């Protein structure tokens, strides 16, 4: 659903209002998983599970993705800022080439300006991985195996 459609729907009363896309995806996944899957076997049951997993992944991406992206951008900016404070040449050269922020990070690591055992780098990578797993396979970051999010 487009942002314009969502904005228009929020102004409508009761039943005319359309739920957010992630809610619709969750509802479709629940129907397929809870109502339709028990009636299927073999190949079609497997394909339905694949579809359910895709729907749930897209719903999590819509729900969690924007905040994860914002955290990653802020973390990367802080990391590159700390490198620029100590090695302006490496960062300036990469930025002058028009390198993307991730490429600037790679250049800083390759030049030794950002040590691979830097606590800030390890935290950036760990947090990014945690956010990615929360979207792509939340059971890997939730010890009890819940499928929330």
């Amino acid at each position: 659903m487009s942002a314009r459609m969502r904005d228009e729907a929020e102004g409508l009363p009761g039943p005319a209002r359309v739920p957010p896309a992630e809610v619709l995806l969750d509802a479709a996944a629940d129907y397929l998983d809870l109502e339709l899957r028990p009636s299927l076997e073999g190949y079609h049951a497997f394909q339905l599970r694949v579809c359910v997993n895709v729907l749930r992944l897209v719903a999590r991406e819509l729900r969690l993705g924007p905040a994860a992206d914002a955290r990653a951008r802020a973390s990367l900016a802080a990391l590159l800022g700390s490198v620029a404070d100590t090695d302006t040449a490496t960062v300036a050269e990469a930025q002058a080439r028009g390198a993307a922020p991730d490429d600037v990070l790679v250049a800083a690591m390759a030049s030794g300006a950002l040590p691979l055992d830097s606590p800030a780098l390890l935290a950036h990578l760990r947090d990014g991985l945690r956010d990615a797993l929360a979207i792509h396979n939340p059971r890997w970051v939730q010890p009890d195996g819940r499928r929330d999010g």
Side-chain angles (χ1 to χ4, degrees):
M1 167 186 332
S2 72
R4 183 180 61 79
M5 288 174 58
R6 185 174 293 134
D7 290 345
E8 290 174 357
E10 286 181 6
L12 297 174
R17 186 171 177 196
V18 178
E22 57 271 20
V23 172
L24 295 173
L25 289 165
D26 285 336
D30 285 346
Y31 169 75
L32 292 172
D33 194 31
L34 302 174
E35 299 292 329
L36 188 58
R37 187 171 56 93
S39 69
L40 298 175
E41 294 179 0
Y43 173 81
H44 293 292
F46 173 77
Q47 292 300 318
L48 183 121
R49 291 209 51 139
V50 170
C51 290
V52 167
N53 287 337
V54 168
L55 291 172
R56 292 193 194 287
L57 187 146
V58 172
R60 287 190 304 270
E61 177 69 37
L62 289 170
R63 188 177 298 112
L64 304 174
D69 289 345
R71 280 190 299 276
R73 282 191 304 276
S75 174
L76 185 57
L79 196 55
L80 293 178
S82 70
V83 172
D85 291 343
T86 60
D87 184 6
T88 56
T90 299
V91 173
E93 179 184 323
Q95 289 173 333
R97 290 192 324 264
D102 283 339
D103 295 333
V104 176
L105 179 61
V106 169
M109 291 186 307
S111 74
L114 182 61
L116 297 179
D117 62 352
S118 160
L121 174 61
L122 296 175
H124 170 75
L125 296 174
R126 185 175 29 260
D127 293 345
L129 180 59
R130 185 178 300 116
D131 281 343
L133 286 173
I135 292 168
H136 298 289
N137 194 340
R139 288 177 290 183
W140 285 25
V141 291
Q142 295 178 352
D144 62 358
R146 288 178 297 125
R147 293 184 182 203
D148 299 348

